[in-house]
Amino acid sequence: VEWNRGVNEGAERRTRRTRPVRPRHRVPSTLAEPSAASKAAGPSVDTAFVQRYSRHVADRHRLFLRGLLGFILLAFSQGCGPEYPNCGDDDDCRDQEYCVNGQCQQCRMDSDCPAGQSCNGGRCEDIEGYCSASSPCPAGQECQNSRCVAQSTQDLDPISDTTDTGPTTCSLEPIYFSFDADELDRSSRDILAANVRCMQERSMRRVHVTGFTDPRGTEEYNLALGDRRARAVMAYMESLGAARGSLSASSMGEEMAQGESEASWRLDRKVTFTER
């Protein structure tokens, strides 16, 4: 009896050791191992199982790739465009700002600033000696080209005991420009009209027009800018009646510039006249 009991217990232990191990993770029903009846049907059932499992893996792979692609597109969309104050054009800057050399600035040229200010290094700064109808010049000065300058002796009241020296001879006055500009403003056109009348009164046969710039910018650019200013002046004077061929033009660029700040640079941006 004892011997039979030992044999039965040993058989039971062997039976427990040979039982299949339950899987830790639940296998989807579509991927479940074929039944015994299916196994008996032949190897074609195993092929169907492999195909179902392959499709399941492919679907999971496609879902992963789609999620990864969406994350990459989201990261790129948030990183597009330069970071302020860097810019590619004016749309990248705030209201009333301009994209200048890849940086958002308060102004690009003098016309972007209020009256009485000029554009200096991308910022609007007060113009020293600025004058207008609402802000006249102090005593002893007069407003020329929106700047207060010393009043000429021609405009001073004559001393009662001086002798009459005859009519005053006119002169050709220079005109001044805004930064990086060759347009003629109203005061410049008035001065040019007076210069044309002076040429006719004095019967000047040849007058040379010379354009100048301030030292900012490259030498080649400033030579071209000075030439544009001189030719714009020459064309306007000819439209006022100056004899064609009596005017010639050239550019000095920044060669004669002496300014070190906006107050003195504005005097470098000019066109002068020389009788020949």
Side-chain angles (χ1 to χ4, degrees), residues 6 8 36 42 52 65-66 81 114 129 132 159 183 199 215-216 219 222 251 258 261 273-274:
N8 293 334
R52 290 197 301 273
L65 290 180
R66 289 176 182 174
S132 64
I159 303 177
E183 296 85 5
M199 288 178 59
R216 292 174 289 182
E219 182 178 355
N222 286 335
S251 172
Q258 299 179 351
S261 64
F273 305 89
T274 306

Side-chain angles (χ1 to χ4, degrees), residues 18 36 43 79 84 86 90 136 139 146 148 150 157 161-163 165 168 170 203-204 218 231 236 245 254 257 261:
T18 58
Y84 184 86
N86 298 323
D90 291 348
S146 300
C148 290
D157 294 334
D161 58 354
T162 57
T163 57
T165 57
T168 302
C170 64
S203 300
M204 297 182 184
T218 63
R231 294 189 180 278
Y236 185 73
E254 62 184 73
S261 64

